[in-house]
């Protein structure tokens, strides 16, 4: 199997706040080569690198906002976040848990630090990834998958560490989340000097993010904490070795290959569908969610 070559290694950019609860580095889209089209079906990635939030009585977060046409996937590494949406989905996710929300035809959504976490303060580290939907599913009913860490299948690598299969598969082990198109989302949790090998089809858009420690990719590329690696669309295999205890998120998905029209929280195929989304939102068709 040929090696998937590295196309680009990106250090995290200047962070910005989403609401007052998420201090994020944006990796997709908008920065040079990581457009929605380039990373399709992964159309947005905000990364809250580990950041200490001081204790507060008023939970920090982001208030009611709409989404249509895609899925929001939140992976918690440190801290706890509470979510609610207008289709009745919601809950609290903490370390190792995943919230997979299919906005599809439209939901209102709010995302806050969980109450007790807010009161105590602490380190907060999260990834929010937006996964695009194919045209035929963009207007399907919203749904919500609350995936607790204990529900995520684990591939044991012995002394090397383990792979958590959030979605897709790893060496035949199927992931916890159901997806609309082929998407692999894996957390590699490696011990010092631990190694793991991955294989994804050459045409899949593929990247990784280092959340803990640092790693060597494909035998010679040193990748530091909080850095993002984009792979070329050739070759299949990726090797990772941890310099120290490390956590790496790998994402690889089959491009949907349809036109993308996006504005803020709406990601559709054509401009007129965005106009429709704004009309529907303004007419209250996304439902109701208390602020
Ligand atoms: Mn949201």
């Amino acid at each position: 199997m040929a090696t998937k070559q590295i196309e680009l290694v990106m250090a995290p950019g200047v962070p910005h706040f989403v609401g007052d609860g998420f201090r994020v580095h944006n990796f997709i889209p908008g920065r040079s080569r990581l457009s929605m089209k380039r990373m399709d079906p992964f159309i947005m990635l905000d990364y809250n690198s580990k950041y200490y939030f001081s204790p507060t009585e008023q939970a920090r977060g982001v208030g009611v906002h709409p989404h249509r046409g895609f899925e929001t996937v939140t992976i918690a590494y440190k801290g706890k976040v509470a979510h609610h949406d207008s289709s009745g989905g919601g809950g609290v996710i903490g370390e190792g848990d995943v919230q997979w929300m299919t906005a599809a035809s439209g939901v209102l959504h709010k995302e806050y630090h969980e109450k007790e976490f807010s009161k105590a303060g602490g380190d907060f580290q999260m990834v929010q990834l937006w996964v695009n939907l194919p045209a035929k599913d963009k207007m399907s009913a919203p749904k919500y998958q609350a995936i607790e860490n204990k529900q995520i299948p684990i591939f044991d690598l012995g002394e090397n560490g383990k792979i958590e299969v959030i979605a897709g598969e790893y060496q035949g082990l199927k992931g916890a989340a159901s997806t609309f198109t082929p998407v692999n989302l894996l957390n590699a949790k490696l011990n010092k000097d631990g190694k793991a090998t991955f294989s994804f089809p050459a045409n899949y858009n593929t990247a990784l993010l280092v959340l803990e420690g640092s790693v060597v990719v494909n035998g010679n590329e040193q990748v530091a904490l909080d850095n993002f690696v984009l792979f070329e669309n050739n070759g299949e295999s990726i090797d990772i070795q941890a310099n120290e205890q490390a956590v790496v998120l790998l994402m690889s998905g089959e491009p949907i290959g349809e036109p993308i029209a996006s504005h803020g929280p709406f990601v559709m195929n054509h401009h007129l569908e965005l106009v429709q989304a704004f009309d529907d939102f303004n007419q209250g068709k996304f439902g109701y969610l208390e602020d």
Side-chain angles (χ1 to χ4, degrees):
M1 240 182 341
T3 299
K4 223 180 240 306
Q5 302 294 329
I6 292 171
E7 180 169 328
L8 184 67
V9 178
M10 289 171 73
V14 176
H16 67 275
F17 268 87
V18 179
D20 62 359
F22 303 91
R23 179 185 176 272
V24 302
H25 311 275
N26 177 258
F27 283 103
I28 310 168
R31 288 182 67 192
S32 58
R33 289 144 80 177
L34 291 178
S35 65
M36 288 183 168
K37 198 77 199 163
R38 173 64 186 88
M39 289 307 296
D40 177 27
F42 307 110
I43 49 176
M44 203 283 303
L45 174 63
D46 269 349
Y47 171 44
N48 190 132
S49 59
K50 198 185 294 173
Y51 183 79
Y52 177 78
F53 283 93
S54 57
T56 176
E57 289 299 313
Q58 194 72 38
R60 299 180 178 96
V62 51
V64 176
H65 57 277
H67 293 291
R68 174 180 278 181
F70 58 96
E71 303 183 284
T72 72
V73 178
T74 306
I75 309 167
Y77 292 91
K78 298 278 178 208
K80 283 187 175 176
V81 69
H83 302 244
H84 293 282
D85 71 62
S86 53
S87 78
V92 174
I93 60 168
E95 287 194 31
D97 301 337
V98 176
Q99 185 215 37
W100 198 294
M101 186 188 76
T102 306
S105 63
V107 294
L108 303 178
H109 192 213
K110 61 181 181 180
E111 301 157 73
Y112 282 93
H113 293 198
E114 186 268 338
K115 217 178 200 169
E116 297 307 316
F117 172 80
S118 294
K119 281 184 183 164
D123 283 339
F124 192 82
Q125 186 182 25
M126 303 256 162
V127 165
Q128 188 168 97
L129 190 61
W130 290 6
V131 178
N132 204 6
L133 290 172
K136 69 177 177 55
D137 297 314
K138 279 187 180 292
M139 293 302 284
S140 63
K143 72 174 187 180
Y144 177 81
Q145 300 174 72
I147 304 168
E148 288 180 46
N149 189 258
K150 63 175 187 250
Q151 298 171 271
I152 299 175
I154 291 171
F155 191 94
D156 187 1
L157 297 172
E159 63 186 11
N160 291 297
K162 62 181 180 180
I163 308 294
E164 293 177 349
V165 188
I166 300 169
E169 64 154 329
Y170 182 76
Q171 307 215 350
L173 181 66
K174 302 275 184 223
S178 77
T179 65
F180 286 79
T181 62
V183 169
N184 297 292
L185 201 56
L186 310 172
N187 263 328
K189 299 191 167 172
L190 301 176
N191 299 322
K192 179 174 161 48
D193 300 324
K195 291 180 192 178
T197 301
F198 303 86
S199 175
F200 305 113
N203 69 311
Y204 280 27
N205 288 327
T206 302
L208 65 77
L209 176 65
V210 179
L211 293 117
E212 196 76 57
S214 65
V215 297
V216 179
V217 177
N218 292 342
N220 55 16
E221 184 78 33
Q222 288 285 346
V223 182
L225 177 66
D226 298 336
N227 277 231
F228 182 95
V229 178
L230 170 68
F231 292 89
E232 292 180 0
N233 292 93
N234 58 43
E236 295 87 22
S237 74
I238 296 171
D239 289 321
I240 298 176
Q241 183 164 20
N243 294 318
E244 59 211 290
Q245 191 138 353
V247 177
V248 179
L249 175 67
L250 291 104
M251 64 204 82
S252 182
E254 182 179 60
I256 294 171
E258 294 173 346
I260 298 174
S262 78
H263 191 97
F266 308 127
V267 182
M268 304 301 289
N269 300 109
H270 302 290
H271 176 74
L272 282 177
E273 294 166 327
L274 294 176
V275 175
Q276 185 71 51
F278 275 98
D279 281 354
D280 289 351
F281 172 59
N282 288 330
Q283 288 175 32
K285 291 183 180 171
F286 281 53
Y288 174 75
L289 185 63
E290 196 177 329
D291 213 341

